Amino acid sequence: MFASPTISLLIEPPANQEFTELYILGPNHTFEDIPFNIKAKVNYSVYLGVVNHMEASSYYTSFVKITNQTDSLPNANLGTPSQLPALYEFKSFISDGGIWEVPLTFRVNELAFVDGTSRISSITINGIELSVNQTSEWNSDKTGYYYNLFVELWIYNSSLGISQFHNRFVSLLLNMTQ
């Protein structure tokens, strides 16, 4: 255990390992202040970031989506994106080793609670109001109405001339409160 830092100096990671980092940080650029308990008509802000380690410049598209606890998230094992429609998208061009970071603000505009169900009818993302129709049943084990606001990362494949799901996504678990 004590030798681990010394060993890491002697062992180099494999060369030519191409990957992309995708992250969400809270408004103070930390994990500790990421929004969780969400109220209607309150603005929340996080930072969305992408770091390119693809050994070449790349075009990325980040799709923002929202799901309840029964809709599907992307499947990392199969490498397939969620079938839910994108609410918002960011496009970026990042050189190798480059970092792209942008504020992602959101606000639940219309939120109703009826008979053990919550319903989001409208959400604003980066100043654009969007209609949504997402419901969540009361989760008695975790005592809340849970949704995921998530971001899928797609990368442009110049050989095929299309953008493809890059098997990366980050998710914010949100508990709707009154």
Side-chain angles (χ1 to χ4, degrees):
M1 186 158 139
F2 295 109
S4 295
T6 308
I7 290 173
S8 68
L9 295 174
L10 301 173
I11 300 173
E12 292 185 29
N16 300 330
Q17 205 169 36
E18 299 172 357
F19 65 98
T20 302
E21 296 174 52
L22 176 65
Y23 64 85
I24 290 180
L25 295 174
N28 294 315
H29 281 92
T30 66
F31 291 114
E32 288 81 31
D33 57 351
I34 290 177
F36 173 66
N37 289 316
I38 306 300
K39 293 183 178 183
K41 303 191 185 316
V42 175
N43 291 323
Y44 298 93
S45 186
V46 295
Y47 287 96
L48 174 64
V50 179
V51 184
N52 179 356
H53 299 284
M54 297 297 292
E55 298 189 355
S57 297
S58 298
Y59 288 97
Y60 294 96
T61 304
S62 303
F63 291 110
V64 180
K65 300 180 178 185
I66 191 165
T67 180
N68 60 27
Q69 294 299 292
T70 58
D71 289 332
S72 66
L73 288 168
N75 187 321
N77 293 329
L78 297 176
T80 56
S82 167
Q83 296 302 307
L84 294 169
L87 298 173
Y88 192 89
E89 73 178 59
F90 295 98
K91 294 205 177 273
S92 57
F93 177 77
I94 309 170
S95 60
D96 181 43
I99 300 171
W100 171 85
E101 187 178 86
V102 65
L104 169 60
T105 59
F106 63 95
R107 172 182 144 145
V108 174
N109 301 315
E110 295 178 35
L111 176 62
F113 297 91
V114 178
D115 297 329
T117 302
S118 69
R119 175 180 303 280
I120 299 174
S121 301
S122 171
I123 189 169
T124 296
I125 299 177
N126 284 5
I128 298 175
E129 188 170 350
L130 305 153
S131 293
V132 295
N133 185 24
Q134 279 290 353
T135 59
S136 179
E137 301 283 325
W138 174 255
N139 184 323
S140 58
D141 293 337
K142 297 180 181 178
T143 61
Y145 297 97
Y146 294 100
Y147 297 83
N148 285 298
L149 184 70
F150 66 100
V151 179
E152 290 179 347
L153 187 66
W154 291 56
I155 190 168
Y156 182 74
N157 182 329
S158 58
S159 300
L160 299 175
I162 59 170
S163 287
Q164 297 176 302
F165 179 57
H166 196 43
N167 205 19
R168 305 275 185 280
F169 74 97
V170 290
S171 177
L172 292 176
L173 182 62
L174 306 175
N175 177 33
M176 295 302 131
T177 61
Q178 296 184 28

